[in-house]
Amino acid sequence: MRTIAAGADKRILLWKKNLPHILAYGILGVATLPIILMYLWLLLSSFAKQMKYGFIPVHISLENWSFLWSNVQQAGTTYPSIWLAAWNSLLFSGSLTMLEVIIGVMAGYALSRLDFPGRKGLMKMTLLLHAFPSVALLIAVFYILNFLGLFDSIWGVVLVKTALQIPMTAWIIKGFFDDVQWDVEWAGMIDGCSRFKVWYSIVIPLIKPGIAAVSIFSFLSGWSEFLLLYSFILSDANVTLATYLQKLISDPNQINYGLLSAVSLFYMIPVLVLFIVSQKSLMQVSAGGGKRV
Amino acid sequence: MPALIRKWKFPFLMLGPFMILIFLFFFLPVILIAVLAFTGMDSSMQWTFNGLENFKHLVSDPNLGVILKNTCLYVFFTLLINVFFGLILGILTTYFIQKESIGLLFRTLWMLPRISPPVVYVLLWLWFFDPSQYGVLNSFRAFLHVPPEKWLASNPMTAVILANGLVGASYGMIIFSSAIKSIPGELIQAARVDGAFHWAMIQDIIIPAVRWPLMFVTLWQLLSLLTSYDYILLLTNGGPLYSSEVLALYSYHKAFENFQYGYGSALAFILVGIALVMTTILWKIFGMNKLMGSSRIE
């Protein structure tokens, strides 16, 4: 009798102890469910001809994915090829990444190691610019691009986007250089290498993880970029996946969620792959550089 | 002299491209905005200085009232979701869920909206609010045999706030959870032994530990919310009429839709002014290290 009572007591105590944790799982589960369902819908509806109640797929088919081999046509207008948009997106994000990494590594090294007048001021400025909301300057940026003859060109937007992200990139890379021991550089210089040679062949290989993280981050942010491409690019020849999808969404004749979700998934493949590969460092970078431009 | 050149050549080369980009797309634009704000530049791109005309026009702008009201509503409620929901997510995934792998799984799922391209993320919300019976909300109504509702037309501000709120919540979540994780384990253990209940633990240990990040996230998000608008542009484009238009988007529309570059610049000029003040506050309160502490990859 007593043991049963004690057992019950123990069970109640255990319950009392675990209840908050169980509740936490419950709340998190319920709160996260909409996100899971939304992305699940994206997947399901891309393979379905029709969705019952908007949610249950009927008639599974690959029809929505036909944009991969034939251009989308809607009410008399033919959309540009998805592969052109994918190529342009790749060109945009790829050159953005290259430019950002090269300029960022150069500037980050200078900020970390070199001595020049106004070094402190430049460091403060780099930090301030990271907080500066550059979207407010879009009108002036338009004027400058127009003046330089770079309006409606992917290269113009690459330059703008690189500039907007470079303060943060340079600062992150500076952090990596800071962690490299001075001795490594001294040793190289005593052996008779020039400053540049030491930097290039000894120090840079040591910060490879930092370069990888910054590359992935800038590629992703270029791949997702919408506002700058939408504002500064007009012609169909320069369409990217972001503006392509936006065109499909805003077309009043187009309420075909099947097609929209298939294009979205196609667009998200690199994002998901890179996110899974680099999830940990990305979550940290994204916390600091979370400001979307 | 040659020695001097040799000394500065290397830093100059290394910083050159960086400085050119920053000059071209940060400094020059700030100056340009300040000058353009006093012109009546339109699509003909002529510099016609008109003094304070733009600002006089702004004060008498019939849309200004509703736009200011929208901006306040949007910033206040989005910030509320960002900070409080972010904090709740942070506490739940780090403190209550003690298995790190599960906490990480939830945090990863919450990152999905943030890493999704804005166009894709907005598509999900468009489907959620779809006016036909196939939208999420309307399919619930269909179950109850209630006719579909045009959610985006009837509640544009709510939609805008929800969509932005969820994205920002994940930002708060990450910052807060790393702050909570940095609380020494002994402190929590000691509190446990003393019989502290969860509520007391949150109040006395977790909240003090996240006090600075809390302030940082609030100010940082306030700054971003005031000046960025890509989700609003994609979701409602400020409509219907001006019912979800905010100040930053209004400046954008004036310039890129109505080609009133001068007037748009005047609006942007005000925003830049607000942003500069806020950046200075951020700077003063958090200093250099705290501001950047969160973005160093370890």
Side-chain angles (χ1 to χ4, degrees):
Chain A
M1 212 37 205
R2 233 173 121 178
T3 45
I4 292 172
D9 266 3
K10 220 174 173 184
R11 230 176 306 151
I12 289 169
L13 245 141
L14 211 70
W15 253 103
K16 238 182 157 174
K17 197 172 158 252
N18 283 332
L19 189 66
H21 299 287
I22 294 164
L23 261 173
Y25 276 95
I27 295 169
L28 260 181
V30 170
T32 316
L33 200 64
I35 295 183
I36 300 173
L37 287 180
M38 275 182 156
Y39 286 88
L40 197 65
W41 169 79
L42 205 61
L43 185 68
L44 291 178
S45 107
S46 77
F47 290 108
K49 226 170 167 176
Q50 215 191 331
M51 298 287 271
K52 214 172 158 190
Y53 302 119
F55 225 109
I56 303 151
V58 274
H59 303 298
I60 302 293
S61 80
L62 279 177
E63 204 187 289
N64 295 322
W65 289 86
S66 65
F67 66 86
L68 290 176
W69 52 88
S70 62
N71 289 9
V72 175
Q73 285 185 336
Q74 196 70 40
T77 50
T78 308
Y79 283 86
S81 148
I82 190 89
W83 296 106
L84 175 70
W87 167 247
N88 283 337
S89 280
L90 192 69
L91 200 67
F92 176 74
S93 325
S95 42
L96 171 77
T97 308
M98 295 250 289
L99 209 60
E100 213 178 304
V101 167
I102 293 172
I103 299 178
V105 166
M106 282 163 64
Y109 182 74
L111 288 176
S112 164
R113 285 286 204 272
L114 303 182
D115 186 32
F116 51 89
R119 177 168 181 271
K120 267 232 160 97
L122 189 67
M123 278 184 13
K124 280 189 178 171
M125 189 197 74
T126 311
L127 270 178
L128 276 175
L129 288 182
H130 177 52
F132 194 81
S134 34
V135 223
L137 303 173
L138 238 49
I139 301 169
V141 171
F142 162 72
Y143 187 88
I144 294 168
L145 282 183
N146 205 20
F147 184 79
L148 295 174
L150 285 171
F151 183 68
D152 196 17
S153 132
I154 285 188
W155 305 115
V157 187
V158 167
L159 279 184
V160 177
K161 180 91 178 160
T162 311
L164 300 189
Q165 294 192 350
I166 202 72
M168 190 196 64
T169 307
W171 194 264
I172 291 176
I173 290 186
K174 174 199 172 288
F176 278 92
F177 278 125
D178 285 345
D179 291 342
V180 176
Q181 300 289 318
W182 264 110
D183 315 358
V184 181
E185 258 175 289
W186 284 122
M189 271 175 356
I190 287 164
D191 286 350
C193 290
S194 72
R195 193 86 203 246
F196 183 79
K197 187 119 191 264
V198 171
W199 173 67
Y200 185 76
S201 54
I202 300 177
V203 186
I204 288 190
L206 288 176
I207 63 151
K208 264 188 189 155
I211 293 181
V214 165
S215 306
I216 289 174
F217 183 59
S218 68
F219 184 88
L220 279 183
S221 96
W223 190 258
S224 303
E225 176 57 40
F226 166 72
L227 189 62
L228 294 174
L229 292 163
Y230 176 73
S231 311
F232 298 139
I233 283 181
L234 300 175
S235 50
D236 264 359
N238 289 333
V239 73
T240 51
L241 284 174
T243 45
Y244 183 95
L245 185 58
Q246 191 270 339
K247 264 182 218 222
L248 280 183
I249 289 175
S250 59
D251 184 342
N253 300 314
Q254 180 69 264
I255 38 156
N256 184 350
Y257 278 123
L259 173 70
L260 288 176
S261 52
V263 174
S264 297
L265 272 184
F266 176 73
Y267 180 22
M268 278 197 58
I269 291 170
V271 177
L272 292 175
V273 171
L274 285 177
F275 182 57
I276 292 164
V277 170
S278 61
Q279 180 227 44
K280 226 175 165 179
S281 63
L282 202 72
M283 290 239 274
Q284 269 151 356
V285 177
S286 177
K291 178 179 63 117
R292 279 187 185 278
V293 173
Chain B
M1 201 59 189
L4 212 65
I5 291 175
R6 200 156 357 110
K7 194 173 175 202
W8 301 134
K9 200 176 73 182
F10 193 49
F12 186 77
L13 276 177
M14 297 290 268
L15 282 166
F18 178 75
M19 296 302 292
I20 292 172
L21 278 181
I22 283 180
F23 174 76
L24 217 52
F25 296 108
F26 278 102
F27 286 134
L28 206 57
V30 172
I31 299 166
L32 263 176
I33 284 287
V35 180
L36 277 170
F38 299 95
T39 71
M41 186 179 280
D42 55 17
S43 54
S44 63
M45 303 303 274
Q46 298 297 319
W47 292 83
T48 44
F49 284 91
N50 59 5
L52 289 174
E53 202 54 49
N54 287 327
F55 295 94
K56 278 184 203 145
H57 182 56
L58 177 68
V59 178
S60 58
D61 195 325
N63 303 319
L64 189 69
V66 67
I67 288 167
L68 282 181
K69 196 188 106 204
N70 286 342
T71 311
C72 292
L73 280 177
Y74 162 69
V75 171
F76 180 77
F77 284 105
T78 311
L79 205 58
L80 206 66
I81 300 178
N82 283 180
V83 174
F84 279 98
F85 200 49
L87 183 62
I88 291 171
L89 283 175
I91 293 178
L92 283 177
T93 56
T94 43
Y95 173 67
F96 281 105
I97 292 186
Q98 280 146 341
K99 228 179 172 167
E100 173 54 23
S101 59
I102 294 177
L104 190 69
L105 174 72
F106 275 116
R107 281 201 295 277
T108 308
L109 283 170
W110 274 93
M111 279 300 285
L112 267 177
R114 191 164 195 85
I115 57 151
S116 300
V119 191
V120 174
Y121 176 69
V122 164
L123 171 69
L124 293 171
W125 282 98
L126 286 175
W127 165 67
F128 191 80
F129 290 119
D130 191 279
S132 78
Q133 56 177 321
Y134 295 110
V136 180
L137 284 180
N138 280 334
S139 57
F140 286 134
R141 285 171 78 99
F143 262 124
L144 307 169
H145 301 287
V146 188
E149 157 96 41
K150 290 188 168 118
W151 299 100
L152 271 182
S154 57
N155 299 291
M157 236 18 226
T158 317
V160 161
I161 289 168
L162 276 177
N164 278 280
L166 282 197
V167 170
S170 65
Y171 175 71
M173 168 190 80
I174 286 180
I175 302 234
F176 298 142
S177 54
S178 69
I180 296 172
K181 268 193 262 172
S182 66
I183 299 173
E186 307 94 71
L187 200 61
I188 293 182
Q189 288 304 330
R192 280 242 170 79
V193 174
D194 291 348
F197 289 107
H198 294 294
W199 181 242
M201 192 87 94
I202 290 172
Q203 231 179 2
D204 300 333
I205 295 177
I206 294 181
I207 297 289
V210 298
R211 214 175 66 221
W212 283 103
L214 206 66
M215 243 175 109
F216 174 73
V217 170
T218 308
L219 276 170
W220 185 268
Q221 292 290 75
L222 186 65
L223 188 65
S224 317
L225 286 172
L226 266 175
T227 51
S228 62
Y229 44 80
D230 36 355
Y231 292 109
I232 309 181
L233 180 82
L234 281 163
L235 196 59
T236 63
N237 198 15
L241 264 168
Y242 286 102
S243 55
S244 59
E245 187 101 347
V246 295
L247 204 56
L249 184 60
Y250 191 53
S251 152
Y252 181 88
H253 277 151
K254 280 293 154 199
F256 294 101
E257 246 166 41
N258 303 354
F259 305 109
Q260 298 175 330
Y261 298 115
Y263 189 44
S265 296
L267 290 160
F269 183 64
I270 292 171
L271 278 172
V272 168
I274 298 173
L276 281 178
V277 170
M278 289 192 50
T279 312
T280 320
I281 295 176
L282 262 173
W283 180 267
K284 280 259 153 30
I285 298 181
F286 293 97
M288 196 149 71
N289 301 325
K290 286 223 174 85
L291 184 65
M292 287 311 292
S294 50
S295 80
R296 279 275 297 278
I297 316 163
E298 306 297 356

